Amino acid sequence: MAGAGDDGPRIVFLGAPGSGKGTQAALLAEHLGVPAISTGEMLRDAVAQGSLLGERVREVMARGELVADDLMAEVVEERLARGDARRGFLLDGYPRTAKQAETLAAILERSSKRLDHVISIEVPEEKLIERALLRQRADDTGEVIRARLRVYREKTAPLIDHYRKQRLLRTVDGERSVSEVQSEIFRILE
Ligand code: AMP
């Protein structure tokens, strides 16, 4: 049973690059008063600072591939141990592989916590390519965008079924405006 002050929620956001999950995660986190933890943002900060972590992930990120699961496990475990994440969090961009989902489950289990919801923002791939090309970062090429989408389809999309089986999955149609998607997410969580 959850102890006093242990009041969640603990939410994972799934969604391909360009699905709007980062935007929605930030909006929901603010609404719920829990931190939105974006592993992509943490890694980009590390690269910008030129830290050891940044050095290790820079090239993999530039190719649109995934950083190794073991390294991500260290990053996420350390982040979730910080005080602000103890009473709930929203994960944006983790887990991205079956192995990462196992790691997250193990981290939570060690502190007798569990996930409350997994929100999958669904957008058809053609639409994602269109959106991704519009918002591409300076160093992204069409090729890197396609690599990111392929990685999502092959490695991350299988988590949708994994969490559906655990009855944690809530799917949201992401092909609408930011505020419409936001309202639907708020409604689902009520
Ligand atoms: P994002 O901003 O979430 O799209 O992440 C940007 C990049 O950071 C990804 O393309 C990956 O190279 C890396 N990254 C972020 N989160 C993860 C993760 N959970 N596992 C592996 N690589 C990640």
Side-chain angles (χ1 to χ4, degrees):
M1 204 176 68
D6 179 26
D7 48 8
R10 296 181 177 82
I11 299 174
V12 162
F13 267 76
L14 291 177
S19 64
K21 84 176 151 48
T23 304
Q24 294 299 336
L27 288 167
L28 182 62
E30 190 175 316
H31 177 71
L32 297 172
V34 295
I37 300 174
S38 158
T39 47
E41 203 174 290
M42 290 171 73
L43 296 175
R44 277 189 293 281
D45 286 349
V47 171
Q49 286 161 13
S51 68
L52 188 60
L53 173 65
E55 283 301 306
R56 291 174 71 186
V57 303
R58 191 166 48 88
E59 286 179 18
V60 172
M61 287 180 78
R63 290 198 298 269
E65 289 167 13
L66 293 184
V67 171
D69 289 337
D70 289 353
L71 188 51
M72 290 311 299
E74 285 174 35
V75 169
V76 164
E77 179 144 29
E78 188 271 326
R79 181 63 188 86
L80 292 182
R82 282 194 230 157
D84 66 336
R86 258 183 234 141
R87 298 186 58 183
F89 56 76
L90 226 144
L91 274 174
D92 161 18
Y94 192 96
R96 261 175 151 99
T97 66
K99 179 79 194 165
Q100 292 184 9
E102 265 177 45
T103 298
L104 177 61
I107 292 172
L108 291 172
E109 202 172 305
R110 278 202 288 282
S111 47
S112 309
K113 287 171 181 154
R114 57 183 173 76
L115 280 183
D116 296 293
H117 308 280
V118 174
I119 298 173
S120 171
I121 303 190
E122 316 224 317
V123 179
E125 192 156 323
E126 323 84 74
K127 189 68 180 268
L128 290 170
I129 293 173
E130 200 179 291
R131 283 192 189 177
L133 290 170
L134 285 174
R135 66 153 208 185
Q136 65 186 282
R137 293 189 272 271
D139 55 347
D140 283 356
T141 59
E143 198 184 322
V144 170
I145 289 165
R146 273 183 285 274
R148 284 207 181 95
L149 287 170
R150 188 175 57 244
V151 166
Y152 179 78
R153 197 187 326 113
E154 291 173 2
K155 301 200 169 145
T156 310
L159 295 181
I160 293 174
D161 245 18
H162 170 80
Y163 287 122
R164 184 181 286 121
K165 286 181 186 139
Q166 296 188 8
R167 298 181 178 279
L168 291 174
L169 191 75
R170 319 278 178 257
T171 58
V172 175
D173 171 7
E175 244 189 317
R176 291 169 304 165
S177 70
V178 169
S179 67
E180 284 170 312
V181 174
Q182 182 187 14
S183 311
E184 190 182 338
I185 292 172
F186 286 15
R187 189 181 53 70
I188 288 172
L189 298 183
E190 254 165 30

